[in-house]
Amino acid sequence: MSKLKRVGLVVLSVCLAGLSTAVGQSTLHIGPGAGTSCATGCGGDPNLLSGAWNVDIYQNSGGAPTAGEPVLIILGVPSQYDRRMPAMPITGVTSYNPYPNGTGVAGTATFATGGTYGLINPVSNGYFGIMQPGQEVYSFLGLAGANKSNSFTNWAGEDDEYVDLTVTGFAIHVYAVTAELGPNGLINLSLVQKVPKGTYIVAYSVANGKSYAVPFTESGLKVSY
């Protein structure tokens, strides 16, 4: 199947849950973990995650302000495999500001709630329902100012190509990570091995009235258990 790269437009003027008007910045990157050659980017489009069960969120802008906590980690699990998703897939959080020379500081992860950055209300424990054809993940969650390229079309197309899955919906799980993410900073996450293949990982944060998010081209795609 040929790749469909549909880079979404950034919404320039939005209101973010009590924050002032924000401009969306697509400067976050998902990589295979601190210490790997692609921790800060490899241009995978999306970035394929396999091997060690670590992922990272990297802020590739040296001029970005430090993100307000929490940083949201969003997992889109193929709905046919959602039953294999552990209740809390994140077992460890460490942040480095800047990366790689910053001192590692431990963080925590909890379930995101409906009051976090204007998210819709979760069904339970950070689970927000099924994203279906015609939808896009940040809009689905009510997160304003983010790049619109993380669509069902793009996610399902790459799952078909890389992991041979025909996906009819993505179960969306959101976790609130308490860890600092500054200019050229990185948050490393240790995951439970049972996060299913075909799962997409993106992130979202707000700093100084601006939203920061992972575009589809810098999203992470788990290609093995």
Coordinates of all heavy atoms in Angstrom, one line a residue, residues 34 36 86 113:
A34 N 15.7 7.3 25.6 CA 17.0 8.0 25.8 C 18.2 7.0 25.6 O 18.1 5.8 25.9 CB 17.0 8.5 27.3
T36 N 19.4 6.1 22.7 CA 19.3 5.5 21.4 C 19.7 6.5 20.3 O 19.7 7.7 20.6 CB 17.9 4.9 21.1 OG1 17.0 6.0 21.0 CG2 17.5 3.9 22.1
P86 N -2.5 -2.9 29.1 CA -2.5 -2.8 30.6 C -3.2 -1.6 31.1 O -3.2 -0.5 30.4 CB -1.0 -2.9 30.9 CG -0.4 -2.3 29.7 CD -1.2 -2.8 28.5
T113 N -7.5 13.2 33.1 CA -8.9 13.4 33.4 C -9.5 14.5 32.5 O -8.8 15.1 31.7 CB -9.1 13.9 34.8 OG1 -8.5 15.3 35.0 CG2 -8.4 13.0 35.8

